[in-house]
């Protein structure tokens, strides 16, 4: 009998500022690592400043490595749809631009099917007042963000953006998913 756990999987998500997503998924049981970066654009090796200009086509994303024996891709998406607004095109709160779009960059046909089914189920249940506009697209080249963006919330919890934008999203996640928190 094979007792090895399945291979680790990768998920790549965009839901506004990557600091928010990274801070939440760092606390999710089954997630081994989270990296902030950029995906979905046309510029090779983009910088933060280039992505913020809106000219590269990239989204701010997180790439997370997870153990599907502990947390499924569907569960990762359930968290995703609670912690950001998937109904606003190219915007999350005061953050406006294509780099802040809601996006699921799938790494397999199975991830694509799960993403489409989760969106279909949420839409049918009318969880949101407005239609879900989350992009579902194949993963492309991931560009890791500059070092100072990694673990930004953990290192800068008192920074105003972190205090007023990131912290409430982390609190919302913890409230809704208490049983899925890392110990």
């Amino acid at each position: 009998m094979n007792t090895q756990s399945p291979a680790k999987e990768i998920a790549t998500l965009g839901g506004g500022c990557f600091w928010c997503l990274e801070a939440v998924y760092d606390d999710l049981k089954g997630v081994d690592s989270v990296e902030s970066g950029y995906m979905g654009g046309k510029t090779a090796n983009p910088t933060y400043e280039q992505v913020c200009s809106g000219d590269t086509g990239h989204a701010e994303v997180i790439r997370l490595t997870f153990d599907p024996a502990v947390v499924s891709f569907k569960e990762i998406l359930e968290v995703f749809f609670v912690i950001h607004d998937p109904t606003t095109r190219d915007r999350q709160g005061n953050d406006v631009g294509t780099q802040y779009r809601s996006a699921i960059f799938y790494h397999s046909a199975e991830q694509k099917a799960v993403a489409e089914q989760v969106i279909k189920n949420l839409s049918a249940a009318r969880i949101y007042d407005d239609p879900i506009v989350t992009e579902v697209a194949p993963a492309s080249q991931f560009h890791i963000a500059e070092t100072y963006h990694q673990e930004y919330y953990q290192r800068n919890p008192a920074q105003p953006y972190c205090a007023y934008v990131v912290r409430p999203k982390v609190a919302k996640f913890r409230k809704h998913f208490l049983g899925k928190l890392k110990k």
Side-chain angles (χ1 to χ4, degrees):
M1 177 161 81
N2 185 355
T3 57
Q4 285 185 319
S5 67
K8 305 293 182 180
E9 290 187 30
I10 294 174
T12 306
L13 307 170
C17 177
F18 44 36
W19 298 342
C20 295
L21 295 178
E22 183 185 59
V24 165
Y25 285 102
D26 274 343
D27 281 351
L28 183 62
K29 193 183 308 179
V31 172
D32 295 334
S33 67
V34 184
E35 297 173 296
S36 291
Y38 317 108
M39 187 175 279
K42 59 188 182 305
T43 301
N45 302 312
T47 65
Y48 180 67
E49 290 74 20
Q50 289 172 319
V51 171
C52 285
S53 76
D55 294 334
T56 71
H58 289 89
E60 287 191 17
V61 299
I62 57 158
R63 178 176 66 181
L64 55 100
T65 303
F66 66 99
D67 183 345
V70 178
V71 63
S72 69
F73 184 65
K74 181 179 183 243
E75 290 171 310
I76 286 168
L77 294 183
E78 289 168 351
V79 169
F80 178 69
F81 283 106
V82 166
I83 62 168
H84 88 293
D85 182 353
T87 69
T88 54
R89 189 170 309 282
D90 300 335
R91 142 178 245 138
Q92 287 296 304
N94 290 328
D95 293 333
V96 179
T98 58
Q99 68 271 27
Y100 300 116
R101 68 188 179 269
S102 176
I104 301 166
F105 293 100
Y106 59 85
H107 293 266
S108 67
E110 180 184 355
Q111 283 188 356
K112 178 183 181 190
V114 169
E116 290 172 342
Q117 188 63 52
V118 167
I119 291 170
K120 181 179 176 183
N121 292 347
L122 289 170
S123 297
R126 296 200 159 107
I127 300 297
Y128 303 100
D129 292 335
D130 296 314
I132 293 172
V133 295
T134 302
E135 171 187 0
V136 177
S140 56
Q141 177 67 44
F142 175 77
H143 304 278
I144 193 158
E146 295 80 355
T147 303
Y148 69 92
H149 289 297
Q150 308 304 322
E151 305 300 333
Y152 190 85
Y153 174 70
Q154 185 178 50
R155 292 182 295 102
N156 301 282
Q159 191 264 6
Y161 187 91
C162 290
Y164 295 107
V165 178
V166 182
R167 185 177 299 134
K169 289 185 183 219
V170 171
K172 184 177 185 179
F173 159 71
R174 290 176 178 165
K175 177 183 173 189
H176 281 81
F177 299 98
L178 188 60
K180 297 184 185 292
L181 296 177
K182 291 178 181 174
K183 300 286 183 225

